[in-house]
Amino acid sequence: DQQVKQNSPSLSVQEGRISILNCDYTNSMFDYFLWYKKYPAEGPTFLISISSIKDKNEDGRFTVFLNKSAKHLSLHIVPSQPGDSAVYFCAASAAASYGKLTFGQGTILTVHP
Amino acid sequence: ETGVTQTPRHLVMGMTNKKSLKCEQHLGHNAMYWYKQSAKKPLELMFVYNFKEQTENNSVPSRFSPECPNSSHLFLHLHTLQPEDSALYLCASSQVGEGDQPQHFGDGTRLSIL
């Protein structure tokens, strides 16, 4: 049973517009959520995270929103740039899990010039 | 030195070979992880080491044998692998016990079993 799901395998956006990537989770014990970006032939790179005590965290062009009641988080990228084209993974962990992360399947984002 | 370094980047081996994957972290972290990424599947956690002690083994077959000699180095010893073990193997490290901290990943070893 997959506890973290990214239901959109791919997303295509025009440069300058907003990209919204979505993630749903089922485990109510999760209290720390992260987004990673992955380019081909490279490992995942940490982008932004959010603790369950918050509902929004912002870092430059990237904002993560958490809706605990819906068990849903989203990553907003504004404005989107061609260099943002990559696979985006959401991940979640629970307290006292020694940092163990559960990942979604990933969403391929393509930003067109 | 970059944060998490994995060697080799690519490995092709036969099913009867023995090889080892190496991971080194230069971030001063106290936890290290092995993940497997197969095509069209999420990253699967294989092993977790905290303070050099293995705290997690996600039902990984015994043909995969991890070793953590110190907090900076992690190995994955491979023996008698199967074709379905062909995948990208990723190492990560993090600092646990100091609040929420992200894991930092290496670039992985692309393993192909003939």
Side-chain angles (χ1 to χ4, degrees):
Chain A
D1 178 38
Q2 204 164 339
Q3 299 183 59
V4 178
K5 292 183 181 179
Q6 294 175 255
N7 291 317
S8 298
S10 63
L11 175 68
S12 183
V13 171
Q14 204 67 33
E15 181 179 7
R17 299 287 185 100
I18 185 171
S19 295
I20 300 176
L21 298 109
N22 294 301
C23 181
D24 297 296
Y25 62 96
T26 57
N27 188 342
S28 57
M29 299 300 291
F30 288 147
D31 59 0
Y32 181 52
F33 304 89
L34 309 90
W35 284 95
Y36 284 84
K37 176 169 77 172
K38 186 179 184 303
Y39 293 120
E42 294 183 13
T45 302
F46 169 70
L47 260 181
I48 192 169
S49 64
I50 187 167
S51 165
S52 61
I53 61 174
K54 295 184 175 180
D55 53 20
K56 176 183 174 181
N57 188 26
E58 196 170 348
D59 183 1
R61 296 186 298 115
F62 302 91
T63 303
V64 56
F65 295 92
L66 176 63
N67 182 334
K68 289 184 288 294
S69 60
K71 293 191 176 66
H72 177 83
L73 67 153
S74 61
L75 175 68
H76 292 211
I77 307 173
V78 182
S80 301
Q81 300 172 354
D84 295 329
S85 298
V87 181
Y88 288 78
F89 294 96
C90 69
S93 72
S97 65
Y98 300 105
K100 175 184 169 182
L101 290 179
T102 302
F103 281 84
Q105 313 95 303
T107 297
I108 302 170
L109 173 66
T110 304
V111 180
H112 298 283
Chain B
E1 290 280 5
T2 55
V4 181
T5 305
Q6 290 186 243
T7 54
R9 291 295 311 276
H10 302 272
L11 179 61
V12 179
M13 57 187 283
M15 289 191 286
T16 57
N17 291 157
K18 285 185 183 180
K19 295 284 185 184
S20 296
L21 309 185
K22 179 183 175 183
C23 177
E24 185 174 359
Q25 60 100 357
H26 306 275
L27 300 168
H29 289 160
N30 58 13
M32 297 186 77
Y33 313 80
W34 279 117
Y35 288 87
K36 175 184 178 183
Q37 186 177 29
S38 304
K40 302 198 191 284
K41 282 186 166 184
L43 274 75
E44 301 171 63
L45 180 66
M46 299 174 73
F47 301 104
V48 179
Y49 276 83
N50 275 278
F51 302 97
K52 301 184 296 175
E53 299 295 323
Q54 189 181 125
T55 56
E56 188 95 17
N57 175 341
N58 270 2
S59 304
V60 180
S62 58
R63 57 186 184 268
F64 294 91
S65 174
E67 179 190 1
C68 188
N70 55 61
S71 58
S72 298
H73 293 86
L74 185 65
F75 295 89
L76 188 62
H77 304 298
L78 315 172
H79 175 53
T80 322
L81 295 193
Q82 305 299 308
E84 62 265 27
D85 297 324
S86 298
L88 179 68
Y89 289 85
L90 289 159
C91 172
S93 71
S94 73
Q95 187 68 15
V96 296
E98 296 181 9
D100 295 325
Q101 298 288 337
Q103 291 180 18
H104 295 266
F105 285 81
D107 287 335
T109 295
R110 175 68 63 185
L111 176 64
S112 299
I113 307 300
L114 301 177

